[in-house]
Amino acid sequence: MELRGKLQEILRDIEENYLPSVSLDLVVFGFHESQLKVLLLRFKDSNDWILPGGRVRKDENLDEAAYRSLRERTGLDRLFLQQFHTFGNVNRMTYFSREETLERMGLAEAAAGLWDSTYWANRDISVGYYALVDFTGTVPTPDFMADECRWWDIAEVPHLLFDHNEMIRLALRTLRRQLSYQPVGYNLLPETFTMTELQSLYETILGRSLDRRNFYKQILHYDVLERLGKRPTIPASKAPYLYRFRKERYEQLLNDEDLSVG
Amino acid sequence: MELRGKLQEILRDIEENYLPSVSLDLVVFGFHESQLKVLLLRFKDSNDWILPGGRVRKDENLDEAAYRSLRERTGLDRLFLQQFHTFGNVNRMTYFSREETLERMGLAEAAAGLWDSTYWANRDISVGYYALVDFTGTVPTPDFMADECRWWDIAEVPHLLFDHNEMIRLALRTLRRQLSYQPVGYNLLPETFTMTELQSLYETILGRSLDRRNFYKQILHYDVLERLGKRPTIPASKAPYLYRFRKERYEQLLNDEDLSVG
């Protein structure tokens, strides 16, 4: 009954300190050299993959809860998380049988009755956040609820619990749309890069190739790049120019379109 | 005590049938002839203006709750509501003193103690939705909680309760960004319109003027317009072309960027 005691303690802490009927889920995209991946957790003693997620403490802001959950569940810190959608269909959690999962984990007996409180009676409204990072710079670590925490190729994501496949789909749509009104790439490319490398990043996110001339025009329109010298190659006449982001302008574009209302 | 009984009934219904710690708020933008407005409610017997909002029934989807709330609080129906952000700061409701408001409304005595249940102990996480409609085609009607429901010029929005000014600001930013990846205007312009009229709509939403040639290029890039004959004027040589939206293509663009993940 040691395990039952532990579970009970966790659930009591949640019921006392966390908001009822609200949760959050995190879609962390990883980019490196023309590959786009997403971070998934595998439930302990199971083949069930899910997005990392969490709940909101009564005394913390929603955004804080997202960063804390990311840290607790994956060990990752200092990412830039952005909200993309909130999921609230009545049946969004019915794909998941808590009992079945517990049984597979050999925990059915230890956990019997623990979720009977009204706190757990309704589905959660889940707030989705996403981030885009260089996956070679991150070492995700699973929490005690998971056996594994690893990067999956976007094209190979398995069937996930809950509505988590739909979450990834919508997060990816948001990320792609973001390309049309904000620059992307800071911290994903080396400090200096060629236009071809930047275009490759965009193409990887969009999942399609782009017209080179239109791409140059759109990017230059942001006025966010500083052109440096040429990359040292032989012959020099064919060497591409190197660029770097103008950090101030980059951040200005991330917080643009300000308007005072009231 | 008649009033107290009525209030008690309403609160009991909410506690029994609606999710705790979740609410939603609606930013309805109205456009007509170069004017952009937003729909606000005035609390009964007060000068406190707020956005229309509501709560989520345990047995309804989040989106359904948004449409139902809009209908119940403003009498409006058949708008296209889109989520833009979810608001969850710890202090987001402390700007508002329920006691003070009730006192001003002469309801302090009748309402004493009614909100003491744990259901009301935490701030709500509020999901924000927005819509854009032709305000001349709508006749908003306040519900029993409000004395007034009317359109305000965006530039003249007063200080609102809660974080509702911030909600309008973020909804407007989302609407403006939307212009860069989706067409806007269907149902806001006459069935046939000139390019100048369409540009004027965009300029009103953006709050700034646009370069005519770049605007034409962006719009034609969507491939969403069908060019008709010229508007009958004298002299005909100077008459502008009329356009209309290709509805199928318009809807395709609203649901673009589909990707199968799992």
Side-chain angles (χ1 to χ4, degrees):
Chain A
M1 292 312 268
E2 177 54 29
L3 190 58
R4 183 176 174 85
K6 175 81 181 155
L7 268 173
Q8 198 155 28
E9 196 183 306
I10 293 171
L11 292 181
R12 278 205 187 134
D13 173 55
I14 292 177
E15 290 168 29
E16 192 179 325
N17 298 309
Y18 293 75
L19 295 180
S21 61
V22 177
S23 65
L24 48 86
D25 287 289
L26 312 165
V27 182
V28 183
F29 292 113
F31 170 82
H32 192 76
E33 284 181 2
S34 305
Q35 288 183 289
L36 190 63
K37 297 174 183 275
V38 65
L39 192 62
L40 298 176
L41 288 173
R42 183 165 58 77
F43 250 138
K44 215 167 189 56
D45 298 312
S46 84
N47 274 316
D48 295 330
W49 289 88
I50 49 164
L51 291 169
R55 303 190 73 83
V56 185
R57 288 186 63 92
K58 293 177 179 173
D59 60 3
E60 77 186 339
N61 293 335
L62 182 58
D63 287 351
E64 288 168 2
Y67 284 102
R68 181 185 48 72
S69 300
L70 181 69
R71 207 164 48 236
E72 289 177 1
R73 304 222 57 185
T74 71
L76 300 185
D77 214 340
R78 279 176 294 188
L79 307 191
F80 177 46
L81 289 170
Q82 291 177 279
Q83 256 190 47
F84 66 96
H85 194 76
T86 294
F87 298 80
N89 276 352
V90 170
N91 68 357
R92 62 175 293 273
M93 295 165 78
T94 54
Y95 316 115
F96 172 64
S97 161
R98 190 177 279 135
E99 288 67 32
E100 221 178 88
T101 306
L102 289 168
E103 204 155 306
R104 266 203 312 264
M105 292 165 73
L107 295 176
E109 204 186 329
L114 289 185
W115 275 272
D116 284 352
S117 122
T118 58
Y119 185 95
W120 304 100
N122 306 301
R123 99 279 199 179
D124 294 320
I125 302 286
S126 185
V127 185
Y129 283 80
Y130 75 104
L132 179 59
V133 296
D134 183 335
F135 63 75
T136 61
T138 61
V139 186
T141 319
D143 69 351
F144 75 97
M145 288 288 291
D147 274 338
E148 227 181 317
C149 176
R150 73 166 176 87
W151 296 102
W152 282 73
D153 278 346
I154 283 289
E156 289 164 12
V157 169
H159 181 73
L160 307 174
L161 290 184
F162 313 114
D163 47 3
H164 288 189
N165 291 89
E166 172 72 359
M167 285 183 179
I168 295 177
R169 199 181 67 79
L170 279 188
L172 189 55
R173 190 176 73 175
T174 306
L175 176 62
R176 288 172 171 179
R177 283 180 173 169
Q178 195 187 336
L179 297 182
S180 67
Y181 59 77
Q182 278 179 343
V184 166
Y186 196 79
N187 284 335
L188 293 178
L189 294 171
E191 208 203 313
T192 65
F193 47 85
T194 65
M195 206 54 120
T196 306
E197 286 165 340
L198 184 61
Q199 182 173 342
S200 169
L201 167 64
Y202 274 63
E203 289 178 336
T204 303
I205 294 173
L206 289 170
R208 59 185 169 86
S209 56
L210 296 169
D211 177 74
R212 189 169 155 278
R213 279 190 52 199
N214 284 342
F215 177 74
Y216 273 47
K217 254 176 62 180
Q218 193 200 337
I219 292 297
L220 295 179
H221 179 71
Y222 284 140
D223 194 25
V224 73
L225 294 182
E226 182 186 351
R227 197 173 83 170
L228 309 166
K230 290 194 168 195
R231 174 166 284 177
T233 48
I234 297 163
S237 63
K238 286 203 173 172
Y241 280 104
L242 287 170
Y243 294 84
R244 75 170 156 220
F245 285 113
R246 295 173 48 212
K247 185 129 194 276
E248 249 177 63
R249 172 70 179 153
Y250 191 95
E251 278 165 6
Q252 184 192 340
L253 286 168
L254 290 186
N255 301 295
D256 63 349
E257 299 136 312
D258 208 48
L259 182 98
S260 293
V261 179
Chain B
M1 294 312 266
E2 177 56 29
L3 190 57
R4 183 178 174 83
K6 174 82 181 154
L7 268 173
Q8 199 155 28
E9 198 182 306
I10 293 171
L11 293 181
R12 278 204 189 133
D13 174 53
I14 292 177
E15 291 168 29
E16 193 178 324
N17 298 309
Y18 293 74
L19 295 180
S21 60
V22 177
S23 64
L24 47 88
D25 287 290
L26 311 165
V27 182
V28 183
F29 292 113
F31 171 82
H32 193 76
E33 285 182 1
S34 305
Q35 288 182 289
L36 190 63
K37 296 173 185 276
V38 65
L39 191 62
L40 297 176
L41 289 173
R42 184 165 58 75
F43 250 139
K44 215 166 189 58
D45 298 312
S46 84
N47 275 317
D48 295 330
W49 290 88
I50 49 165
L51 291 170
R55 303 190 72 83
V56 185
R57 288 186 64 92
K58 292 175 181 175
D59 59 2
E60 78 186 339
N61 293 336
L62 182 57
D63 286 352
E64 287 169 2
Y67 284 102
R68 181 186 47 72
S69 300
L70 181 68
R71 207 163 48 235
E72 288 177 1
R73 305 223 57 185
T74 72
L76 300 185
D77 214 340
R78 279 176 294 187
L79 308 190
F80 177 46
L81 289 170
Q82 292 176 278
Q83 257 191 45
F84 65 96
H85 193 77
T86 294
F87 298 81
N89 276 352
V90 170
N91 68 356
R92 61 174 293 272
M93 295 166 78
T94 55
Y95 316 115
F96 172 64
S97 161
R98 189 179 279 137
E99 288 66 31
E100 222 177 86
T101 306
L102 289 168
E103 204 155 306
R104 267 202 312 264
M105 292 164 73
L107 294 177
E109 204 186 328
L114 288 186
W115 275 273
D116 285 353
S117 121
T118 57
Y119 184 96
W120 304 100
N122 306 302
R123 99 280 199 179
D124 293 321
I125 300 288
S126 185
V127 185
Y129 283 80
Y130 76 104
L132 178 60
V133 296
D134 183 336
F135 62 74
T136 62
T138 61
V139 185
T141 318
D143 68 352
F144 74 98
M145 287 290 290
D147 274 339
E148 226 180 318
C149 176
R150 74 166 174 87
W151 296 103
W152 283 73
D153 278 345
I154 283 289
E156 288 165 12
V157 169
H159 180 73
L160 307 175
L161 289 184
F162 314 112
D163 46 4
H164 289 189
N165 291 90
E166 172 73 358
M167 284 182 179
I168 296 176
R169 198 181 68 77
L170 279 189
L172 189 54
R173 190 176 73 175
T174 307
L175 176 61
R176 287 173 171 176
R177 285 180 172 170
Q178 195 188 336
L179 297 182
S180 66
Y181 60 77
Q182 279 181 342
V184 167
Y186 196 80
N187 284 335
L188 294 176
L189 295 170
E191 208 203 311
T192 65
F193 48 84
T194 64
M195 207 54 122
T196 307
E197 287 165 338
L198 184 61
Q199 182 174 342
S200 168
L201 167 64
Y202 273 64
E203 289 177 336
T204 303
I205 294 173
L206 290 171
R208 60 185 169 84
S209 55
L210 296 170
D211 176 73
R212 188 169 157 278
R213 280 191 52 198
N214 284 343
F215 177 74
Y216 272 47
K217 254 175 64 179
Q218 192 200 337
I219 292 296
L220 295 179
H221 178 71
Y222 284 139
D223 193 25
V224 74
L225 294 181
E226 182 185 352
R227 197 172 83 170
L228 308 167
K230 291 192 169 196
R231 175 166 283 178
T233 48
I234 300 164
S237 64
K238 286 202 174 172
Y241 280 104
L242 287 170
Y243 294 84
R244 76 171 155 220
F245 285 113
R246 295 171 50 210
K247 185 130 194 278
E248 247 177 66
R249 171 70 179 153
Y250 192 96
E251 278 165 7
Q252 184 192 341
L253 286 167
L254 290 186
N255 301 297
D256 61 350
E257 299 137 312
D258 208 49
L259 183 97
S260 292
V261 180

